[in-house]
Amino acid sequence: MLEQLPFGPQLSAWIIMFMLIVGRLTFVVFLMPGIGDQTVPARVRLSLLLGAAMLFAMSGLVSPPIDLSIGNFVGLMGTEVIIGLGLGVLLRTTIWMLNMAGALIAQSIGLSQMLGIALDTEAQTVTSNLLAMAGAVLLLSADYHVSVFVRIAEVYSEIPVGALGQFDRGFVIDGMLNAIKFAVLIAWPFVAINLLYNISLGFINKALPSLMVAFVGAPFMIGAGFVLLALSISTILMVWMDRVSGSVGWW
């Protein structure tokens, strides 16, 4: 196939290698926390993707395919896209766990109806946006994006081009399940306090049927939730930062 292309064998091999690198890096860049958010212009993300793919192609880390036919090229491109999707999803779980924890906290303290800006594809609750933006800032301040690209260069030696069999797809599912467990664990104190609070309101309403406990209880729950969130948000983010690299698995 390379001899039949009009650019010459060497340039054709480089173009094919560049396209395969783009196929793997697309989901990684567009799902990367902070850089891949919807608030970042698509042109910026696309420029970063093409620039990173250019550097990878010029570095010699990826070997160009030899004696490649059209069918094999399509298969390799599909394989690279699947591998990139798995790596990108695992990378995005670092923010998804904060979104899920924030949604659970908002429902527990009565703020689930207050929506903020759409960092992903749809508007999230105020607490979800607060935790997600704080998490993205912490990751960017720790130069995680540099570490991600360095690790991707190492992944090419562990999972070469087209080696879909060496990519553990069950590892992606385990990472997502662990992210859900960790999100529930973060929000569990708020859920437990909300449960105890509603049980107490039930006893008070039973003892004093004439007292409108909802008018007293709802503002108190929101205020107490704000205080508890203010006191615990730094601890939540510290625990989350310690868990981030382990939850991703490959970074």
Side-chain angles (χ1 to χ4, degrees):
M1 174 183 173
L2 299 180
E3 291 76 6
Q4 299 174 358
L5 293 177
F7 307 108
Q10 293 183 351
L11 182 58
S12 300
W14 189 89
I15 292 174
I16 291 174
M17 180 178 61
F18 175 79
M19 294 175 64
L20 292 174
I21 294 173
V22 169
R24 179 176 292 197
L25 294 183
T26 297
F27 281 107
V28 174
V29 173
F30 278 77
L31 292 177
M32 186 180 299
I35 296 176
D37 290 333
Q38 297 296 319
T39 52
V40 179
R43 292 181 180 178
V44 176
R45 289 177 282 167
L46 182 60
S47 300
L48 178 61
L49 168 63
L50 296 179
M54 183 75 68
L55 292 176
F56 273 80
M58 297 174 61
S59 64
L61 295 174
V62 184
S63 301
I66 302 175
D67 296 333
L68 187 64
S69 64
I70 296 296
N72 290 335
F73 171 73
V74 174
L76 285 176
M77 179 60 69
T79 299
E80 291 300 294
V81 170
I82 294 175
I83 295 174
L85 176 61
L87 298 177
V89 167
L90 285 175
L91 195 62
R92 193 65 188 177
T93 54
T94 58
I95 294 297
W96 283 343
M97 65 175 64
L98 290 178
N99 286 332
M100 289 184 286
L104 290 174
I105 292 173
Q107 292 175 1
S108 300
I109 64 178
L111 295 177
S112 58
Q113 299 301 320
M114 297 176 60
L115 300 180
I117 61 175
L119 293 179
D120 290 324
T121 56
E122 60 183 10
Q124 301 288 337
T125 60
V126 175
T127 52
S128 295
N129 282 332
L130 176 64
L131 292 175
M133 287 190 290
V137 169
L138 286 176
L139 288 176
L140 290 174
S141 62
D143 293 334
Y144 93 102
H145 51 290
V146 178
S147 302
V148 167
F149 286 110
V150 171
R151 183 67 184 117
I152 289 177
E154 298 175 355
V155 168
Y156 268 107
S157 61
E158 302 172 3
I159 308 175
V161 175
L164 184 60
Q166 300 182 26
F167 181 69
D168 189 3
R169 284 152 286 184
F171 185 69
V172 179
I173 299 176
D174 292 338
M176 297 183 67
L177 292 177
N178 291 331
I180 295 174
K181 295 176 183 178
F182 186 65
V184 175
L185 181 63
I186 292 176
W188 178 247
F190 296 87
V191 177
I193 291 175
N194 180 61
L195 177 62
L196 295 175
Y197 174 74
N198 282 286
I199 292 175
S200 301
L201 281 185
F203 283 114
I204 295 173
N205 191 25
K206 191 70 174 179
L208 300 172
S210 59
L211 178 63
M212 301 296 292
V213 293
F215 290 99
V216 179
F220 176 79
M221 188 59 197
I222 294 176
F226 271 122
V227 173
L228 181 60
L229 181 61
L231 294 175
S232 61
I233 187 170
S234 59
T235 304
I236 290 174
L237 293 174
M238 289 174 59
V239 174
W240 171 78
M241 278 295 291
D242 293 336
R243 188 71 176 265
V244 162
S245 60
S247 64
V248 174
W250 63 270
W251 162 38

